[in-house]
């Protein structure tokens, strides 16, 4: 698999036809769609933590995560025709093989793998081996540009896709949690690889946009759902720099900031794309353009209203001043 044609198209959009000022790229971010479970689940698959997950789905979660809500949101997103789509995990509920297959069909309908990028969430790693086994189903959607087709998923992350002036960086925080927990962890080995990647893309003058499922900042979610190595991970980002971090997991919108060596970086989370619980289902649109001293990011949040019509919520313009830009 190669990203060529779409990657080239996005690169041209970033350059502009007759100007040194890039035309910009539009990027959409969605998270936690929690696609419907299959009607039947084999008993042999339930002799572990999945049993409680199934009971939770049957008693309440199936009423919260509605396919018609997700369909409406995706239709609205596609009407805005983003150049790139980022999906920050939790496409499944129990990490079943059948869920991975259904999610692959959903991803295929979402767009070409060259313009759609996903990472795993905690539900993809609900039990030992579920993500390691299921990752192959989604490989074109999570793999980096330069990775071999048979990449070992246990050491594949972080992944990198270059799209014009953007460096899209996918980080995996999907680990198996104890019963009653939904924690994440990046891990020392992945952090070491991420250090090299952030330095390299900084030297290239790229806008480093990172996607991770779990919020990196302490206090965003409860301790039973947090990123276990958030201290080490945030220290890495502060030391090496990053321009923006996108996450999901909390099913709520978050607008925070992380100090880095190059200046503050927005850390932004979106609600679930299929649920009206906690907050209405939503996605974020970003228009990223280069400016005289870095980049400008225009944010527009789109959410499902009470009458199930799509509405525009928070809008903001963020100046990301960076000395290495371009």
């Amino acid at each position: 698999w190669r990203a060529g044609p779409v990657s080239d198209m996005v690169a041209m959009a970033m350059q502009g036809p007759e100007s040194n000022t890039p035309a910009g790229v539009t990027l959409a971010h969605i998270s936690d769609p929690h696609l419907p479970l299959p009607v039947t689940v084999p008993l042999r698959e339930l002799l572990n933590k999945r049993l409680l997950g199934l009971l939770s789905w049957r008693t309440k979660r199936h009423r919260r995560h509605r396919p018609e809500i997700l369909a409406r949101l995706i239709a609205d997103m596609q009407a805005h025709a983003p150049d790139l789509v980022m999906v920050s995990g939790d496409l499944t509920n129990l990490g079943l093989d059948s869920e991975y297959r259904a999610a692959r069909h959903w991803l295929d309908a979402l767009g070409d793998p060259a313009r759609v990028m996903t990472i795993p969430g905690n539900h993809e790693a609900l039990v030992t081996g579920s993500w390691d086994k299921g990752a192959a189903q989604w490989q074109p959607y999570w793999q980096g540009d330069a990775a071999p087709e048979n990449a070992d998923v246990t050491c594949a992350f972080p992944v990198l896709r270059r799209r014009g002036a953007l460096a899209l960086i996918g980080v995996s925080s999907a680990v198996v949690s104890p019963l009653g927990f939904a924690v994440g962890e990046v891990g020392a080995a992945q952090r070491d690889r991420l250090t090299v990647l952030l330095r390299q893309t900084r030297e290239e003058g790229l806008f480093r946009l990172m996607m991770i499922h779990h919020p990196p900042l302490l206090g965003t979610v409860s301790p039973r759902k947090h990123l276990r190595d958030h201290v080490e991970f945030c220290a890495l980002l502060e030391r090496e720099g990053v321009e923006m971090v996108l996450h999901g997991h909390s099913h709520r919108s978050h607008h925070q900031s992380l100090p880095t060596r190059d200046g503050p970086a927005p850390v932004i989370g979106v609600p679930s794309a299929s649920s009206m619980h906690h907050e209405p289902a939503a996605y974020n649109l970003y228009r990223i353009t280069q400016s005289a001293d870095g980049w400008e990011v225009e944010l527009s949040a789109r959410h499902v209203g009470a009458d199930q019509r799509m509405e525009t919520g928070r809008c903001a313009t963020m100046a990301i001043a960076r000395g290495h830009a371009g």
Side-chain angles (χ1 to χ4, degrees):
W1 168 77
R2 294 180 61 83
V6 176
S7 178
D8 293 344
M9 181 177 68
V10 174
M12 287 189 291
M14 291 295 292
Q15 293 302 316
E18 299 178 357
S19 171
N20 292 328
T21 303
V25 164
T26 300
L27 179 145
H29 173 217
I30 64 176
S31 193
D32 299 82
H34 289 284
L35 302 173
L37 268 175
V39 176
T40 59
V41 179
L43 181 61
R44 65 180 181 276
E45 302 283 6
L46 300 176
L47 303 178
N48 46 41
K49 188 179 178 181
R50 284 177 173 148
L51 178 59
L52 290 182
L54 179 62
L55 291 175
S56 175
W57 176 263
R58 298 291 192 215
T59 56
K60 58 183 179 181
R61 291 176 63 87
H62 77 281
R63 291 191 293 269
R64 294 178 180 175
H65 296 284
R66 303 301 305 160
E68 67 274 13
I69 294 292
L70 178 61
R72 187 174 297 274
L73 183 144
I74 295 301
D76 184 81
M77 183 193 74
Q78 291 179 330
H80 283 82
D83 301 304
L84 302 165
V85 179
M86 309 284 275
V87 187
S88 53
D90 276 5
L91 283 68
T92 70
N93 298 281
L94 307 181
L96 297 167
D97 290 346
S98 55
E99 289 185 284
Y100 275 106
R101 290 192 297 271
R104 174 58 190 265
H105 292 310
W106 182 79
L107 287 168
D108 287 341
L110 199 59
D112 188 281
R115 58 177 290 269
V116 178
M117 182 177 181
T118 191
I119 55 171
N122 57 287
H123 280 263
E124 274 74 69
L126 197 68
V127 299
T128 302
S130 57
W131 168 242
D132 295 348
K133 183 178 180 181
Q137 295 276 354
W138 304 351
Q139 191 161 348
Y141 290 95
W142 59 257
Q143 196 169 50
D145 288 334
E149 292 185 4
N150 60 348
D152 182 358
V153 68
T154 60
C155 59
F157 287 89
V159 298
L160 169 65
R161 295 182 176 190
R162 292 178 177 86
R163 298 294 183 265
L166 302 185
L168 306 179
I169 301 171
V171 174
S172 174
S173 58
V175 295
V176 180
S177 299
L179 196 64
F181 287 79
V183 297
E185 186 173 359
V186 176
Q190 188 179 181
R191 293 197 306 272
D192 288 344
R193 295 190 293 268
L194 181 59
T195 298
V196 175
L197 191 152
L198 287 172
R199 290 178 182 175
Q200 174 187 348
T201 49
R202 184 182 189 274
E203 291 173 358
E204 295 174 22
L206 301 179
F207 182 101
R208 296 162 296 175
L209 190 151
M210 182 178 297
M211 179 169 60
I212 183 172
H213 181 70
H214 289 77
L217 296 178
L218 184 64
T220 310
V221 293
S222 68
R224 75 179 190 88
K225 295 183 177 183
H226 75 164
L227 188 69
R228 287 192 297 216
D229 56 348
H230 63 89
V231 172
E232 295 86 350
F233 185 67
C234 286
L236 185 160
L237 298 184
E238 292 175 14
R239 182 176 67 250
E240 302 300 335
V242 69
E243 279 59 74
M244 179 177 286
V245 180
L246 306 180
H247 69 82
H249 190 50
S250 71
H251 296 193
R252 290 179 168 88
S253 57
H254 299 279
H255 296 263
Q256 300 168 296
S257 181
L258 175 73
T260 79
R261 59 170 287 182
D262 299 310
V267 179
I268 303 176
V270 290
S272 164
S274 63
S275 173
M276 302 296 284
H277 184 67
H278 294 315
E279 286 186 25
Y283 71 96
N284 284 344
L285 278 172
Y286 299 91
R287 183 71 176 172
I288 304 172
T289 56
Q290 281 190 280
S291 62
D293 60 352
W295 290 273
E296 183 175 274
V297 180
E298 298 176 37
L299 162 66
S300 177
R302 296 281 292 171
H303 66 265
V304 180
D307 59 356
Q308 294 196 9
R309 293 184 181 182
M310 295 300 298
E311 301 174 354
T312 298
R314 176 173 179 153
C315 295
T317 300
M318 297 167 282
I320 313 291
R322 294 291 189 269
H324 68 268

